[in-house]
Amino acid sequence: MNGIVKLLDDIDRTMARNRFIVVALIAGSFLFCAAVVIAAFTYAERQRQYVYVLDHGKSLIALQTDAVVSKDIEVSDHVARFHELFFNLAPSSESIRESLDKAYNLADRSAYDYAQDLAEKGYFSRMVSANITQQIMVDSVAVDVSVYPYEAVTYARLYVLRESTLTESTMKTHCKVVDVARSSVNPHGLMMEGFAVSENNVIETRKR
């Protein structure tokens, strides 16, 4: 009789141990799954803290913790890139056309209308015939992303190089910027609207 009781006790202990092992395995599985989910969310959140921007056509990666900051960077680079394409012009009709076409991908019709107005006044044809080179140096782009469309004011220096003289001017432009789909010709996924030159004043003209 004692042997039977001992056997039953052993069976109870074995079943209890097996139940403990099963419960421990189930709990461990839940903990493992929770850890995987947390790690995945942490990784995704860390990836969202990176922003890819283009600087003179080169892709750069920047770590930031605020989406507003990343948008500020993108808008500023987008606007600066437009000005470089639109105002850095060589005395060649084909070169001017190619550069302006690239700039048009970053802005609405206001940029095209401004260029057409210059063309009708003979600005580009004079550049070609007189062998004039035009270069711009963007000093800064003031961006306000607290409103939408975003507002951007660009401050720059414009240099007009002739064979014997160099003319330097200060330039100030305004535009609004909206979000659009990203593409190979518009990597930031932004579009300038209402582009206007509010200041273009000659500082000096000096001999080269």
Side-chain angles (χ1 to χ4, degrees), residues 64-113:
Q64 49 81 38
T65 57
D66 188 357
V68 174
V69 175
S70 69
K71 181 59 68 175
D72 178 83
I73 293 172
E74 286 196 296
V75 172
S76 177
D77 189 73
H78 181 90
V79 173
R81 181 59 177 160
F82 166 83
H83 282 75
E84 290 167 358
L85 290 170
F86 197 86
F87 291 103
N88 284 342
L89 302 175
S92 163
S93 297
E94 182 178 354
S95 176
I96 291 173
R97 183 171 57 255
E98 290 179 356
S99 188
L100 291 178
D101 285 343
K102 291 178 182 178
Y104 295 151
N105 292 317
L106 309 180
D108 69 355
R109 189 175 176 84
S110 60
Y112 176 82
D113 290 341

Side-chain angles (χ1 to χ4, degrees), residues 40-57:
F41 276 109
T42 301
Y43 176 79
E45 182 63 27
R46 188 180 300 115
Q47 291 303 306
R48 281 196 293 268
Q49 293 177 357
Y50 289 94
V51 57
Y52 293 87
V53 299
L54 288 180
D55 181 21
H56 298 86

Side-chain angles (χ1 to χ4, degrees), residues 102-175:
K102 291 178 182 178
Y104 295 151
N105 292 317
L106 309 180
D108 69 355
R109 189 175 176 84
S110 60
Y112 176 82
D113 290 341
Y114 183 81
Q116 284 299 108
D117 184 57
L118 292 177
E120 291 174 1
K121 294 177 180 178
Y123 185 82
F124 300 125
S125 60
R126 286 197 301 272
M127 285 186 64
V128 176
S129 61
N131 196 33
I132 298 173
T133 299
Q134 179 175 277
Q135 296 178 350
I136 193 171
M137 180 179 294
V138 177
D139 293 325
S140 64
V141 180
V143 179
D144 184 0
V145 293
S146 64
V147 296
Y148 187 83
Y150 317 116
E151 296 181 355
V153 180
T154 304
Y155 301 89
R157 299 287 181 114
L158 189 68
Y159 300 91
V160 177
L161 290 78
R162 297 178 176 85
E163 291 184 359
S164 58
T165 61
L166 170 62
T167 300
E168 179 181 356
S169 304
T170 59
M171 176 171 282
K172 181 179 179 181
T173 70
H174 293 78
C175 70

Side-chain angles (χ1 to χ4, degrees), residues 21-53:
I21 292 173
V22 171
V23 171
L25 288 174
I26 293 174
S29 298
F30 276 114
L31 289 174
F32 177 77
C33 291
V36 170
V37 171
I38 292 172
F41 276 109
T42 301
Y43 176 79
E45 182 63 27
R46 188 180 300 115
Q47 291 303 306
R48 281 196 293 268
Q49 293 177 357
Y50 289 94
V51 57
Y52 293 87
V53 299

